[in-house]
Amino acid sequence: MSKGLVVLAYSGGLDTSCILLWLKEQGYDVIAFLANIGQDEDFDAAQKKAEKLGAKKVFIEDLRSEFVQEFIWPAVQANAVYEDRYLLGTSIARPCIARRQVQIARQERAQYVSHGATGKGNDQVRFELTCYALYPQVQVRSDPSETHHLYESGILENPKNHAPSDLYQMTKNPEDSPSEPDVLEIDFAKGVPVRVTHVKEGTSKDTPLELFCYLNEIGGKHGVGRIDIVENRFIGMKSRGIYETPGGTILLHAHLDIETFTMDREVRKIKQSLGIKFSELIYNGFWYSPECEFVRHCIDKSQENVEGRVQLSVFKGQVYILGRESPKSLYNEELVSMDVQGDYDPCDASGFIKINAVRLREHNRLQGAAQKTL
Amino acid sequence: MSKGLVVLAYSGGLDTSCILLWLKEQGYDVIAFLANIGQDEDFDAAQKKAEKLGAKKVFIEDLRSEFVQEFIWPAVQANAVYEDRYLLGTSIARPCIARRQVQIARQERAQYVSHGATGKGNDQVRFELTCYALYPQVQVRSDPSETHHLYESGILENPKNHAPSDLYQMTKNPEDSPSEPDVLEIDFAKGVPVRVTHVKEGTSKDTPLELFCYLNEIGGKHGVGRIDIVENRFIGMKSRGIYETPGGTILLHAHLDIETFTMDREVRKIKQSLGIKFSELIYNGFWYSPECEFVRHCIDKSQENVEGRVQLSVFKGQVYILGRESPKSLYNEELVSMDVQGDYDPCDASGFIKINAVRLREHNRLQGAAQKTL
Amino acid sequence: MSKGLVVLAYSGGLDTSCILLWLKEQGYDVIAFLANIGQDEDFDAAQKKAEKLGAKKVFIEDLRSEFVQEFIWPAVQANAVYEDRYLLGTSIARPCIARRQVQIARQERAQYVSHGATGKGNDQVRFELTCYALYPQVQVRSDPSETHHLYESGILENPKNHAPSDLYQMTKNPEDSPSEPDVLEIDFAKGVPVRVTHVKEGTSKDTPLELFCYLNEIGGKHGVGRIDIVENRFIGMKSRGIYETPGGTILLHAHLDIETFTMDREVRKIKQSLGIKFSELIYNGFWYSPECEFVRHCIDKSQENVEGRVQLSVFKGQVYILGRESPKSLYNEELVSMDVQGDYDPCDASGFIKINAVRLREHNRLQGAAQKTL
Amino acid sequence: MSKGLVVLAYSGGLDTSCILLWLKEQGYDVIAFLANIGQDEDFDAAQKKAEKLGAKKVFIEDLRSEFVQEFIWPAVQANAVYEDRYLLGTSIARPCIARRQVQIARQERAQYVSHGATGKGNDQVRFELTCYALYPQVQVRSDPSETHHLYESGILENPKNHAPSDLYQMTKNPEDSPSEPDVLEIDFAKGVPVRVTHVKEGTSKDTPLELFCYLNEIGGKHGVGRIDIVENRFIGMKSRGIYETPGGTILLHAHLDIETFTMDREVRKIKQSLGIKFSELIYNGFWYSPECEFVRHCIDKSQENVEGRVQLSVFKGQVYILGRESPKSLYNEELVSMDVQGDYDPCDASGFIKINAVRLREHNRLQGAAQKTL
């Protein structure tokens, strides 16, 4: 008799195949769930493999569009970067995948979920927190004995060693990338990209998925978005990570530019700290949490006027902003011009500075008094 | 009879020469003060010019070493970046220059200072706030009629227009830069660089000034640190800025890396927000303020263990971190290894996740209850 | 011929009467505007006085309801307290008054506004920033020679001197207040009070204005909400303030209680920092600013589930929370109970603690290693 | 043969006596450790009880002075308040007790520690995190079956029920407290109290322990510092707490006052957010963590000039500030005076306001433009 039904996040690889077998051995019925979020995978082969290993059912789900729109776009709006460098690629995928997985579990009346993200990693936390948040009654089953040999392992565990050049899969080595830049125009509305145009070639993309894939392609071609970092995991240890985020890096540069162009300075400051908070929440697996919902809402609100077009050049691993324009710009050419006086009275600036100096002078007065008495 | 003595921050250029003449016309005695902070300038010619224009005395002061050590190094410790992009180059120079200027004013018993940074800019604020903070009794004299034609003007005032390629003076165009990277090792102690070594050539620099100049040279050669941004000025308008910070950009990448490697995660978060605050203070001209002194002290404290060596490659406008090592690292190879269980018990991770999920489940319970009653 | 039309915020008192005369002398036509925000004033007498002094028109506007609903309620939602102590009473009134004033100015096609809040105070800033924000073309006219003798002046300027007991107008001296508490129940919905009930007497109020007045009455009777502080003005100086906010203080206690009861812990943290920001913005006069609009929106969003009833006792200058209940509470009696195990597994807590300790142990390991090598 | 040596934090009460027996039954040798942090306890009787129950050794340690100086004083400097209301009394005691406990464990070569703070509480976390942080090799032993019946339980678990009046042990019911206030003067140096004087009686205390006990006595006599709150535990649930902190409440009011009087406005803002962080860290058990050490250092730095004397009145559950004076005050009577013009030029204020309005006007311009096009 079955111990119950488990929905397993199955990748087609060795690790999750082992888990599938182990779950069967333990007496569970297993549904294999494969999420397509754009990875390079033979889904048919994976399905057959899962069936052969004894999966009762196999679900293969194309989550690419919802991944881009519901998960990547909010990260773009937030300028989400963890610890000043990591653009959170896979961290954002996890809640997207786990959400579908618990939907399947609820629909199939499964009490259990399982996944291959054990070990000492962040992905276990991201996966399980999402499951508990969206399906509080669910229980997680995982093989305590399993071990992993991820590419992070081995040589890279010594943070001094260079990353092998064949590690990167999406991006060309900048040394081998084209010696001609590609110039793109990205149009934004409400803080998300709505069209990308290749200036020279005239081609353009305007559905979220196509647009994002195209930026990955162009960024990848020019070796954009490679980083080698040591990061702080939620579970308290430091680990090394080698990441490549070509499309995300282009979008980060472009979004930062159009945002500063159209957003008030003080709104920007508050939004910046919300964006940092958002990044930590994503990294730590709290996409589905009350605070992350709240922060997403606030960030989304801040993007109402983030609209316009950024022109940029992609070349040899780098993104260069060339110019920008917007109907919602707060940039006032006349106000800033050196040749036009306009409403701006230099006396006001003197007064502004003197009032700002009141505090500083008082501080000096007290410090000076202290020194005199020494 | 003289109206009094003015110490003028003199650059040798047209603007400050006009001011010198205007001050004389108004009846002031003028001391010209030229600060050498590493700019490309013929100081002898400038001195002669000032004398010819009627300056009573001319002070030429080499502030380069103190600029690097007392101003740039704290910015490196802070990862100081204004509005996510601007590395604050000239903003940091201003308090260094003005500090010396008020020292001269005090020593020469001058009641007035003057400068050429009028118009609608930040530099006026930075200059005058520093003067008031360090010499509360001082008064600022400036020509209300003067106008400026800075390179920011003209074509660049339309934020859509591309920056002309001859604008950059320190950095080569990445398209024309060498097709071979330079690999450097930078050693840090207490969060500041203490040595840079060119791995292949074996040359190294270890005084602050030489080290910084060398990084400017290498970065410049590879076109590192060019940005084209729209920024928010303290006086409330947006303006466009084209900046190049080759050495600073290399140091930012290297310092971020060694800092994350050696600093506790939670200390880092607190320090990150102090660094953002510090950047705003510098940009707005508050280097000499009680809050900036406080923040500098706190950031300096955070750097006690930021020590070690970063290896990086500079190539075609980009800096790539290759590896790092440190005697003070908090990275624990054994702890993070996938092959070694060590003290880490997977059950602890499950408990950790479940406790973190308590809140999320409660939230879901309430939301679910709300939905049921609809 | 008239120099133009000025709308003057007129109080009926000596200061603004002098300004009215001065504006007339300068050649302006003057419209006197009296806002009723609940102060103790004979509006008829004031109207006659303004007409007698030569006002072309007099507007008397009852802003009490909009003041409570549009200005005080958001401050209650935010737990708005400036510098940990000041509940911002008059600071919140200023944008409400100035908003109506510029509406009148626009409607009457007046190019100028004027007010009596000059001197060295915050109210000038609050008044003028609101006017410029809502009516960018407006100009402010004020008598540069006028002086003020506010009650803050004189004896209170020495911060060591005690405040005279007759200074307070809304609150009884707690020493003379009733020796029996009043017990109230306050019902909240979306973070604002919707009903207050006197438990013993059974009376209740449920329109915003009546409710707020009633809390002022009860709080005043028991001497609640008196403070004597030194505060930091926006213009850079410290000043002493003696304030009384009876109703606001009761609402602050009650709202803090129901909010913590119904809001997720992490949402609360983020909202707390937004509330501090909001308080600074109000104090400094930025109610009508993009950042304040943004923060208000976010805080309002956070209040969606802040609903329920708080019972409290008001007695001798103090407010005591007695109990609370809510249909939206996140408090789970079963979960927290010591007698019920429920879903909570003590092993999870051990794991949670051990994972939280990973970082701390690593820190100790490094510090210990450092000490050994000494 | 013994399983090893356990140092048990023993209270003399039923819970820890049961644990002592359980540990003996499990085969451990037990050292009982009783910390005196000022609680009302018969230490001799507790010692005899522990010996009778089979403790191998009994340590009774008077930690009162170090508790006040090393733990309470930093909390006073920080204005430490958790979630806007809780003054953290027992949360601060825990690391003080556990520190001594691990010192004993190290000295006695014990591999284990134990405590009675299990269940669903915060104290378990605080205790164990301190032990792991200071003695990474230590292991915690606790009886998984034990249950607790704390006073928080029972009737109080329904957050609507009133707290029974006999719950409070340190404070008189304000209704029964004296109808005459006590007026105190508290002298601060570097942000900590150095003397308290009863103005009328002339008595004064100036050692930390005596001073703090005296404030507890005076505050208790007047019923100061009682709160009834629902709070958010670190482990994710909400719980109700009834607390009394008489001395701490007096110190909070006095310190807030002298701090604002002597600290620059902008330093205060930064310090305020560090204080909030510090409070969360204490509450969650992270006193001994790198981030808490860092924050304590920064807060301590901010207190350098927090010096002076505050006069206050304690009456019927409330603390009223009456006046303050300080040699380090940043309050400038002349600057703030309405009768003295001094250096302050009203034109500067106008300029200051206009520059601050630049952003607001631009925002309005854009909004207005948007509305016109509708």
Side-chain angles (χ1 to χ4, degrees), chain D residues 212-240:
Chain D
F212 188 68
C213 289
Y214 185 68
L215 290 177
N216 264 338
E217 181 195 322
I218 295 288
K221 169 183 162 190
H222 289 281
V224 162
R226 293 177 163 202
I227 55 167
D228 175 337
I229 63 173
V230 168
E231 74 201 53
N232 288 297
R233 289 193 187 156
F234 187 29
I235 51 169
M237 58 187 69
K238 289 186 188 292
S239 70
R240 190 200 202 154

Side-chain angles (χ1 to χ4, degrees), chain C residues 256-314:
Chain C
L256 269 174
D257 197 72
I258 198 68
E259 183 176 272
T260 314
F261 196 49
T262 54
M263 188 179 282
D264 173 78
R265 181 186 73 201
E266 296 300 312
V267 174
R268 192 192 186 289
K269 274 190 207 170
I270 299 165
K271 188 259 170 182
Q272 181 183 27
S273 77
L274 292 171
I276 291 171
K277 183 73 198 165
F278 184 51
S279 309
E280 292 165 4
L281 290 171
I282 296 173
Y283 185 86
N284 290 342
F286 288 96
W287 185 280
Y288 287 106
S289 67
E291 67 272 27
C292 197
E293 283 169 31
F294 176 56
V295 168
R296 270 201 306 278
H297 173 92
C298 297
I299 289 174
D300 192 55
K301 171 75 183 173
S302 78
Q303 302 294 299
E304 278 178 353
N305 289 322
V306 178
E307 181 180 327
R309 175 177 294 172
V310 177
Q311 196 175 101
L312 53 83
S313 155
V314 188

Side-chain angles (χ1 to χ4, degrees), chain B residues 329-364:
Chain B
S329 161
L330 285 167
Y331 180 95
N332 182 338
E333 200 168 326
E334 201 171 296
L335 184 63
V336 82
S337 168
M338 290 298 170
D339 300 316
V340 183
Q341 189 66 41
D343 280 346
Y344 186 87
D345 180 349
C347 278
D348 292 344
S350 297
F352 176 74
I353 294 167
K354 279 186 196 150
I355 295 290
N356 271 297
V358 167
R359 258 184 337 108
L360 313 186
R361 284 168 144 162
E362 289 298 299
H363 179 68
N364 181 287

Side-chain angles (χ1 to χ4, degrees), chain C residues 44-330:
Chain C
D44 280 347
Q47 169 150 15
K48 276 172 199 146
K49 194 168 171 188
E51 283 162 354
K52 211 165 147 190
L53 293 170
K56 212 178 148 182
K57 278 194 194 176
V58 180
F59 285 82
I60 297 181
E61 309 270 327
D62 184 349
L63 307 178
R64 291 177 304 154
S65 276
E66 64 190 66
F67 178 45
V68 172
Q69 277 187 272
E70 297 178 42
F71 294 84
I72 295 179
W73 275 191
V76 169
Q77 289 182 314
N79 306 321
V81 181
Y82 180 65
E83 295 190 333
D84 290 316
R85 294 184 293 177
Y86 172 42
L87 269 70
L88 293 162
T90 53
S91 320
I92 307 179
R94 190 49 81 185
C96 175
I97 298 168
R99 176 176 69 169
R100 186 75 194 97
Q101 186 173 4
V102 300
Q103 282 166 350
I104 293 171
R106 281 181 180 276
Q107 159 198 322
E108 302 288 321
R109 303 191 178 280
Q111 280 300 312
Y112 304 98
V113 289
S114 184
H115 61 92
T118 49
K120 297 167 173 175
N122 292 303
D123 278 334
Q124 180 188 5
V125 187
R126 292 168 193 150
F127 175 86
E128 298 184 8
L129 282 181
T130 303
C131 291
Y132 292 139
L134 297 180
Y135 188 7
Q137 303 78 22
V138 86
Q139 292 185 53
V140 176
R141 283 292 167 268
S142 58
D143 179 357
S145 69
E146 79 195 293
T147 57
H148 293 275
H149 301 277
L150 304 180
Y151 76 73
E152 288 95 345
S153 312
I155 184 179
L156 289 183
E157 283 176 4
N158 181 339
K160 192 183 165 181
N161 293 342
H162 293 201
S165 57
D166 61 354
L167 199 65
Y168 298 100
Q169 300 175 332
M170 301 172 73
T171 53
K172 248 198 135 77
N173 186 334
E175 297 192 32
D176 307 327
S177 70
S179 48
E180 282 279 300
D182 280 304
V183 175
L184 306 177
E185 276 176 359
I186 305 181
D187 290 348
F188 287 87
K190 294 188 188 297
V192 299
V194 291
R195 170 173 295 203
V196 59
T197 307
H198 190 289
V199 171
K200 213 168 174 180
E201 300 173 0
T203 52
S204 72
K205 310 285 173 187
D206 48 18
T207 71
L209 181 56
E210 284 181 331
L211 192 161
F212 188 67
C213 289
Y214 184 68
L215 291 178
N216 265 338
E217 181 196 322
I218 296 288
K221 168 183 163 192
H222 289 282
V224 162
R226 293 177 163 200
I227 55 167
D228 175 338
I229 63 172
V230 169
E231 74 201 52
N232 288 296
R233 288 194 188 155
F234 186 29
I235 52 170
M237 58 187 66
K238 289 186 188 292
S239 71
R240 191 204 199 150
I242 312 287
Y243 301 103
E244 46 186 346
T245 327
T249 302
I250 296 173
L251 282 172
L252 175 63
H253 280 84
H255 182 267
L256 269 174
D257 197 72
I258 198 68
E259 183 176 272
T260 314
F261 196 49
T262 54
M263 188 179 282
D264 173 78
R265 181 186 73 201
E266 296 300 312
V267 174
R268 192 192 186 289
K269 274 190 207 170
I270 299 165
K271 188 259 170 182
Q272 181 183 27
S273 77
L274 292 171
I276 291 171
K277 183 73 198 165
F278 184 51
S279 309
E280 292 165 4
L281 290 171
I282 296 173
Y283 185 86
N284 290 342
F286 288 96
W287 185 280
Y288 287 106
S289 67
E291 67 272 27
C292 197
E293 283 169 31
F294 176 56
V295 168
R296 270 201 306 278
H297 173 92
C298 297
I299 289 174
D300 192 55
K301 171 75 183 173
S302 78
Q303 302 294 299
E304 278 178 353
N305 289 322
V306 178
E307 181 180 327
R309 175 177 294 172
V310 177
Q311 196 175 101
L312 53 83
S313 155
V314 188
F315 177 66
K316 291 277 180 197
Q318 185 63 289
V319 180
Y320 300 92
I321 302 296
L322 302 175
R324 75 289 290 164
E325 61 187 310
S326 169
K328 299 272 181 75
S329 161
L330 285 167

Side-chain angles (χ1 to χ4, degrees), chain A residues 283-295:
Chain A
Y283 186 86
N284 290 342
F286 288 97
W287 186 280
Y288 287 106
S289 67
E291 66 272 28
C292 198
E293 283 170 30
F294 177 57
V295 169

